[in-house]
Amino acid sequence: MGFKGKEASSFFRDFLDECGGSAVIDGGFATELERHGADLNDQLWSAKCLVSSSSHLVRRVHLDYLEAGANIILTASYQATIQGFEAKGFSREEGVTMLRRSVEIAREAREIYHDRCTKDSSDFMRNERYRKRPILIAASVGSYGAYLADGSEYVGDYGDSVTVQTLKDFHRERVKILVDAGADLIAFETIPNKLEAQAYAELLDEEGIETPAWFSFSCKDESNVVSGDSIFECASIADSCRQVVAVGVNCTAPRFIHGLISSVKKATSKPVLVYPNSGETYISESNQWVKSSESEDDFVPYISKWRDAGASLFGGCCRTTPNTIRGIAEAIYGKVQDKCI
């Protein structure tokens, strides 16, 4: 399934209909890369693995999530920017290549997965529902704070010198590169404030970008994003943007999700997506995750309640794993197999 010139909202409605009304987003990326042996102690974080010698690890994580049941996989471009690559000594051309490569690797993983499913002759794989489920590639666009790599993405305070124009100029080139590389969606995620949401909306309009997008906000409670801006106001900006086909929250504690779904739905009739953290809390001063009373799989039993509250797309963010996503897929579609679901 691809965009192929369809009107954005129609394309996404058709996608959700093909999924049966609800869809599964993948889970945490960096921790999975580390589990497979990647060293991400770097300002580029997961984008470090877009360097050719590590790209096979990125593909492997994508495949893990596809085999867990994901309908949407996000590219390893969350912290990938031309500015960030140049700061690490790469040329602009190399930065462009790595951004494009993030989409290409995800597309390769989808092709490999489909090929595996086609060749699997088990009784289970005769189930057309799973074998031919739609899979989309979402180009991940992290916030300006993610590029700064100073924890400001978790508080949303960029200082008075950063304006809407500053943010548009910062994001413009990489968004165009990711679109040109063939992503099915643009995932503007972990948005920490109203300012950046406005910048994204204006950028999409100014550049005439037709690729569907979603806006996903990082929140500190049931009513506000991490900067203190109202989630209602932030979601209203997303609602007013023609290219935005879904609105929701990520990188947020599971205990706030139910209330946030209600808050978002007051601002928009567009599909609502939720992909919370495992429940641990990130302490930016020490660059550490602190365990809470909730573990990675604890929010899976709430999926049905979140769906009843009005959400349509479900996944995981920081510290969630393919096991989390498999649990979500089972909560939505019933018990599934380990391969080619």
Side-chain angles (χ1 to χ4, degrees):
M1 182 178 188
F3 180 50
K4 295 181 181 177
K6 275 189 180 181
E7 197 267 333
S9 60
S10 173
F11 160 78
F12 203 69
R13 282 195 302 269
D14 290 348
F15 164 73
L16 281 177
D17 286 345
E18 283 193 48
C19 292
S22 298
V24 182
I25 304 169
D26 66 9
F29 212 88
T31 45
E32 285 304 294
L33 286 171
E34 289 175 327
R35 188 171 68 85
H36 288 307
D39 176 10
L40 302 184
N41 185 22
D42 192 284
Q43 281 196 319
L44 291 176
W45 201 40
S46 56
K48 180 182 178 182
C49 287
L50 293 174
V51 178
S52 59
S53 60
S54 301
S55 62
H56 67 287
L57 297 178
V58 175
R59 189 182 304 105
R60 183 172 177 180
V61 173
H62 286 321
L63 283 166
D64 286 345
Y65 280 118
L66 289 172
E67 291 181 354
N71 296 107
I72 301 174
I73 55 173
L74 284 88
T75 61
S77 52
Y78 176 80
Q79 207 146 324
T81 64
I82 299 297
Q83 300 92 326
F85 286 129
E86 288 181 334
K88 296 296 291 185
F90 294 99
S91 69
R92 181 191 174 281
E93 291 72 21
E94 288 172 324
V96 170
T97 297
M98 285 187 278
L99 274 168
R100 292 186 62 87
R101 189 74 185 120
S102 71
V103 177
E104 291 166 0
I105 294 169
R107 294 179 67 174
E108 288 167 6
R110 177 171 61 183
E111 291 174 9
I112 292 169
Y113 176 75
H114 279 151
D115 187 52
R116 287 180 183 176
C117 290
T118 301
K119 292 179 178 178
D120 192 322
S121 60
S122 66
D123 289 341
F124 179 77
M125 279 317 302
R126 296 191 182 103
N127 186 326
E128 294 288 298
R129 173 190 175 195
Y130 293 114
R131 184 164 64 87
K132 294 188 176 181
R133 79 182 194 278
I135 296 170
L136 299 181
I137 308 301
S140 172
V141 176
S143 68
Y144 179 65
Y147 155 72
L148 296 176
D150 61 359
S152 60
E153 67 192 293
Y154 300 106
V155 294
D157 182 6
Y158 295 159
D160 295 337
S161 64
V162 175
T163 65
V164 167
Q165 190 62 48
T166 305
L167 295 172
K168 286 192 293 185
D169 291 343
F170 173 79
H171 289 295
R172 192 180 308 273
E173 185 173 20
R174 74 159 162 169
V175 169
K176 291 166 68 175
I177 292 167
L178 291 167
V179 168
D180 185 61
D184 301 309
L185 294 164
I186 314 167
F188 295 101
E189 49 178 358
T190 323
I191 307 172
N193 53 41
K194 186 168 60 174
L195 187 76
E196 199 145 24
Q198 187 63 46
Y200 289 145
E202 291 183 15
L203 175 60
L204 289 171
D205 183 59
E206 289 172 5
E207 294 299 327
I209 291 172
E210 296 298 328
T211 301
W214 79 47
F215 281 15
S216 185
F217 297 90
S218 177
C219 300
K220 66 178 183 177
D221 55 37
E222 294 183 343
S223 303
N224 302 285
V225 300
V226 292
S227 66
D229 293 333
S230 158
I231 183 63
F232 177 84
E233 293 181 359
C234 291
S236 295
I237 292 171
D239 182 67
S240 68
C241 183
R242 178 179 57 84
Q243 295 91 335
V244 172
V245 295
V247 187
V249 296
N250 74 292
C251 209
T252 297
R255 64 183 179 276
F256 300 134
I257 296 299
H258 193 277
L260 284 163
I261 294 170
S262 299
S263 297
V264 170
K265 286 189 69 65
K266 291 175 183 176
T268 185
S269 60
K270 295 178 180 182
V272 176
L273 55 91
V274 294
Y275 49 117
N277 290 337
S278 64
E280 294 169 290
T281 301
Y282 181 74
I283 308 300
S284 58
E285 293 80 5
S286 60
N287 294 320
Q288 290 182 324
W289 289 90
V290 177
K291 288 184 179 295
S292 70
S293 58
E294 302 171 60
S295 66
E296 68 167 49
D297 293 320
D298 277 353
F299 72 75
V300 172
Y302 300 122
I303 296 297
S304 61
K305 292 181 179 179
W306 295 345
R307 183 163 53 175
D308 290 343
S312 302
L313 299 102
F314 311 88
C317 197
C318 300
R319 313 286 281 186
T320 59
T321 71
N323 284 337
T324 316
I325 302 312
R326 184 171 289 106
I328 292 172
E330 291 178 355
I332 293 174
Y333 300 120
K335 193 69 176 176
V336 295
Q337 300 291 328
D338 288 338
K339 291 185 176 181
C340 300
I341 62 173

